[in-house]
Structure formats: C-alpha cells, structure tokens
Amino acid sequence: IQLLVVPVPPKALLRGEALGVSAEQQSAMNAGWEKILADLRGREVDVVDLAPAFAAAKDEPFCLRDSHWSGPGIALAAEDLLPRLAQA
C-alpha cells in the first residue's frame, strides 16, 4: 500500500489579499505551509502540494463564499493526482 498525502491548501494561503490578510500574515502562512510540507517529506511521506496549481489556476479553485473547492478546484486536484495514481 502506498500512502499519498494531499494537504488541502487553505484559501487564506492562496487568496489572502481578498480575505484581508496582511502581507506579514501571508508571509507567516507561507512559511508555515512550507514547513509542514518539509517536515512530512523529511519523514519520507509522499506529499502532493496542490498550492502551486491552485495559485496559477485560471478558474477560481475555491467556492465564492467559503473555503470548499469549486468544480474547477476539484478538476485541478484530479488532474494532478490521476497520473500519480495510475503509476501506483
């Protein structure tokens, strides 16, 4: 069995400016996110970081009024994960 960990990128991490997050808070969140990923990878956990794909998305990956993934966000995650799952 292969474990694949896919941390959910928080909406505030990627859309902080729209949520009133200051630059200092954004920097702290980014550092925290990177630390979590580095800690997991340091323990040899297979981690998929969807944050870059979500940040570069043409269509909004989050629902407008909450932090759930929108249809395009789900599609982005599936596009990223499908090749990895096919290799397993």
Side-chain angles (χ1 to χ4, degrees):
I1 296 174
Q2 179 182 358
L3 175 66
L4 186 63
V5 176
V6 186
V8 177
K11 185 175 185 176
L13 179 72
L14 303 174
R15 302 291 187 266
E17 68 285 348
L19 301 173
V21 174
S22 71
E24 183 178 313
Q25 292 169 321
Q26 188 72 47
S27 178
M29 282 191 292
N30 287 334
W33 181 256
E34 293 301 325
K35 182 180 182 324
I36 290 167
L37 297 178
D39 286 349
L40 288 168
R41 289 178 177 137
R43 294 182 174 144
E44 298 183 11
V45 175
D46 194 2
V47 178
V48 177
D49 182 9
L50 295 175
F54 274 35
K58 293 177 184 173
D59 295 318
E60 180 57 52
F62 298 102
C63 292
L64 181 63
R65 301 197 190 280
D66 62 40
S67 60
H68 291 93
W69 292 353
S70 65
I74 294 168
L76 276 173
E79 288 171 14
D80 195 304
L81 293 172
L82 188 59
R84 297 168 193 267
L85 297 175
Q87 293 174 1

